[in-house]
Amino acid sequence: MVQNEDEIDLKVILFNYLQYWPIILVFMFAGFVSAFLFNRYATSIYKVESSILVADDKPSLGTDLFESSGLGMLQGKNNIENEIGILKSYSLAEQTVSELNLNVQYFQKGFLSTTQLYGNVPVLVTVDWKQSQLIGGMFKVEVIDEKSFYLTVEEEGFSVYNPSDKFFKSKFKGILGLKSVYSFGDTVSGESFSFKIDQINVLPGDEIFFKVLDTQTLALKYGGDLSVAPINKQASILNLSLETPVRRLGQDYINKLMEMYLQRELDEKNIASENTVQFINYQLSGITDSLRYSENRLQKYRTENRVFNLSEQGSVIFERLQELEKEKGQTEVTLNYYKTLQSYLANNQASDLVAPSVIGITDLLLNSLVQTLSELQAEQTRLKANFTEQTPAVRENASRVQNAKRALQENVNLAYQNTQSVLSDLNNRIRMIERDVNSLPQTERNLLGIQRQFAINENIYVYLLQKKAEAEITKASNMPKNSILDFAKSGQTPVAPKRSLNLLIGLILGMILPIGFITVKDFLNTKIEDPKELERQMKVPLIGMIGRNTSDDALPVFNNPRSSVTESFRSLRADLAYLSPQKNNLTLLFTSSISGEGKTFVSMNMASVFALMGKKTILIGLDLRKPRIAHDFGLVNDKGMSTCLSSNQPWKEVVKQSGYENLDVILSGPIPPNPAELLLQDRFRMIINEIKEEYDVVVFDCPPVGLVSETKELFGFADVNFYVFRQGYSMKANSQILNNLVEKGGVSKMYGVFNDLHIDKGYGYGYGYGYGYGYGNNSYGYHEEVQLPWWKRALRLKK
């Protein structure tokens, strides 16, 4: 089955990672164990939830006129977003924290975790917030006995709270002046702290930790942690939720927050009733003295003149006057109300408005306007407590307030004029009746006048008392329009840590970390590791792959003929029949980019496999700068090619026996001062031609072509040239040197050899790891090899 290159690359990547499967498994196990320990000792976080019903405002009679008028005064009364802003506001959170007294947090430490205590605490810390206080750090109380304790600092990081600037905290940089032992109930004080610790339920040896936090910091924290959202887009029910490690604390906080929210709404409603009572009290203060004076005067006149009742004619006149005077008094109260209303609007005191209906004004439109303006003013106050003046919601509501004021001002002015007309008519009618009074006797006329004044004051007084009682009843009966739907309750299952997810993340991180390290290592690796990658980079074929020589013997072909390394040389020898066919004599050249890539090892063993075949073979060391052949064969490098080229000594006199049949060696000889010039002589060409006539196989061990220049001149003497790369040693850029030799240098018959192959970068390419170049592990007894690991046998892909 033919596979495209992308599929093969994926397999190469996969099996590259599979080489490190023990490390990956260890990391995955470590990640799983870490996640398990985290789940075991992490503080459980619970979600506390409640809900509030935000009721819709019932429109007042006449408000439909303004809803359709385009003035924009009555839009958005039930603004869910505003209610959410109020619930999350700092001011409401501050009131809640103050009511619950959460400024001191108590803790108890276990073996690996710390638990916050709430409610039934063993000690009680009372902080003096009138002076500077240290906040944020952790104190430790170690009980000595029922009367005394050690007080130390457990955790630093204190800030200094300044009561004159509650929102600015400075870092504490001094040394905390604590004594060793304190008594319960005594004040613990210093330069920037003052608090008292009382014992409630402690035993000697108990350790309690506490932390002091100011109200402002806690309000900001709880306000940020609280989540408020409608249960859906259409509903006016708000869901409140708070995630906390202490379920009871979360429940108490949300319940108190909802209580303060409803109380705030109720207080705003009571403002109108309080303003009404205040207005009536002001009116009563003026009429009370007049009533007392007229009452005393009436009593005195009756006593002095012995006149107690009016005649029948006088009674009729008095009743008519009393009725008109009563109506006049109520009209004057109404007129005073309009004056007060005009004054409030002129002085921008709309928040102190009194409802017209409270003093008996039945104008539906006026009542609706006053109610609307009061609600808009209250809304503006709430918005300013949470948002800046430039916030769109604040600016929009301010525009509605101004529109409502203008409409109310016009209506009040018109009502004031109408009331003045009514009052003028009443005065005219009273003057007409007063003419009939002149027909009465003098004594009766005086009594009627005094009694008339008394009745006027009494009617007004009774009327005001009645309205005051009605206002107080209204205040007592006020209820918030919103209501608590569900009180706070905590879930039984913690929302954090997410145990299953953490275990999965631990496994994934345990897998990703080593894989990421391997990926980065391979990406930054400049050495050639993968034979397929080398094949893609070279412009010539990769003809042979030589495995790692696991023995210390430099000639495994002779000394370990059943090894896989020997078999790879045999395979390379077999391939030469296709590279240079129909040639009885064969000349091979081996070079590399730099020293250490194994060209000498490969050239010696290639010469050896031909010698084992019965071919008369000679190995010539042409690396005149750094010779190695003499050492590997156990010879003395006293004479060699440099000797022949620098003197007239015949080449046959420098040939040495290798110790193995059919294999002779010409060493490089002593290192000359001019190795490049020696190899470029015509004498070198004559010597090589004579050697080719004498031997069946000639093998050149040349110097690295990437380091010296003379090797380029030697390519023309060989039938086949081999460029040796070494796995994990040769640089990836070395392939470009080979490509330049072929493309620009005109070198022909050039092939690559990959030496020291020991890392399996892809299935079927590594030496001894499967089928590919050379024989693999499944040799069925033809040669010795290390047993393939079980996982590679299980996952091996067959061709």
Side-chain angles (χ1 to χ4, degrees), residues 343-466:
S343 176
Y344 283 163
L345 292 174
N347 297 322
N348 201 24
Q349 295 177 313
S351 58
D352 298 328
L353 292 178
V354 178
S357 58
V358 175
I359 58 172
I361 299 176
T362 58
D363 187 340
L364 298 179
L365 182 57
L366 182 63
N367 275 278
S368 176
L369 287 172
V370 171
Q371 179 184 354
T372 299
L373 183 58
S374 297
E375 291 175 354
L376 290 174
Q377 284 284 5
E379 182 71 14
Q380 188 73 353
T381 302
R382 288 188 290 183
L383 288 174
K384 286 183 177 180
N386 302 295
F387 306 104
T388 63
E389 293 281 351
Q390 301 304 318
T391 304
V394 177
R395 296 172 63 181
E396 181 182 359
N397 197 74
S399 177
R400 294 175 182 172
V401 170
Q402 292 303 320
N403 291 336
K405 280 185 177 180
R406 283 195 294 269
L408 181 58
Q409 184 73 54
E410 294 174 359
N411 190 273
V412 170
N413 292 339
L414 181 60
Y416 182 80
Q417 294 174 5
N418 293 335
T419 305
Q420 280 186 323
S421 298
V422 172
L423 183 62
S424 177
D425 181 66
L426 289 172
N427 286 330
N428 290 333
R429 292 167 63 186
I430 290 172
R431 281 194 294 270
M432 292 177 63
I433 296 175
E434 285 178 345
R435 295 173 184 172
D436 297 334
V437 174
N438 295 328
S439 62
L440 297 176
Q442 180 67 33
T443 304
E444 192 170 352
R445 283 202 310 271
N446 294 338
L447 176 62
L448 188 146
I450 297 172
Q451 190 169 350
R452 171 188 170 190
Q453 189 63 41
F454 171 75
I456 292 172
N457 292 332
E458 183 181 34
N459 289 334
I460 296 175
Y461 182 77
V462 171
Y463 174 76
L464 291 176
L465 285 180
Q466 179 184 355

Side-chain angles (χ1 to χ4, degrees), residues 472-588:
E472 290 176 342
I473 292 173
T474 300
K475 178 180 177 182
S477 62
N478 276 341
M479 293 289 292
K481 66 176 181 179
N482 302 329
S483 60
I484 298 174
L485 194 61
D486 290 316
F487 285 95
K489 57 183 180 300
S490 170
Q492 299 302 314
T493 304
V495 296
K498 301 183 183 297
R499 289 175 167 75
S500 299
L501 180 61
N502 288 343
L503 292 176
L504 179 61
I505 292 175
L507 283 174
I508 293 175
L509 286 178
M511 180 175 64
I512 289 177
L513 287 177
I515 289 178
F517 176 78
I518 294 168
T519 303
V520 172
K521 180 180 72 68
D522 289 344
F523 178 76
L524 298 177
N525 185 17
T526 59
K527 306 296 179 63
I528 299 174
E529 303 284 358
D530 185 5
K532 296 302 292 182
E533 181 183 3
L534 178 60
E535 280 187 306
R536 289 193 297 270
Q537 293 176 353
M538 292 194 311
K539 303 296 184 181
V540 300
L542 181 62
I543 194 62
M545 304 179 77
I546 311 300
R548 167 163 285 188
N549 182 21
T550 56
S551 66
D552 294 333
D553 197 335
L555 294 169
V557 170
F558 285 124
N559 301 322
N560 192 7
R562 287 172 55 82
S563 68
S564 297
V565 177
T566 301
E567 195 60 42
S568 63
F569 283 109
R570 290 193 184 104
S571 177
L572 183 57
R573 181 187 65 189
D575 291 336
L576 286 173
Y578 302 98
L579 300 179
S580 184
Q582 299 177 353
K583 282 198 97 175
N584 294 327
N585 290 23
L586 189 63
T587 302
L588 307 178

Side-chain angles (χ1 to χ4, degrees), residues 129-142:
W129 291 106
K130 295 180 180 179
Q131 72 162 58
S132 299
Q133 289 293 341
L134 292 178
I135 59 173
M138 183 84 76
F139 292 95
K140 176 182 178 181
V141 175
E142 186 176 354

Side-chain angles (χ1 to χ4, degrees), residues 13 33 41 55 222 287 312 327 331-332 371 375 382 400 431 444 458 469 483 572 575 610 636 650 702:
I13 294 172
V33 171
Y41 294 104
Y222 281 108
I287 200 64
E312 182 177 351
E327 187 176 350
T331 303
E332 288 177 342
Q371 179 184 354
E375 291 175 354
R382 288 188 290 183
R400 294 175 182 172
R431 281 194 294 270
E444 192 170 352
E458 183 181 34
S483 60
L572 183 57
D575 291 336
F610 281 105
V636 178
C702 295

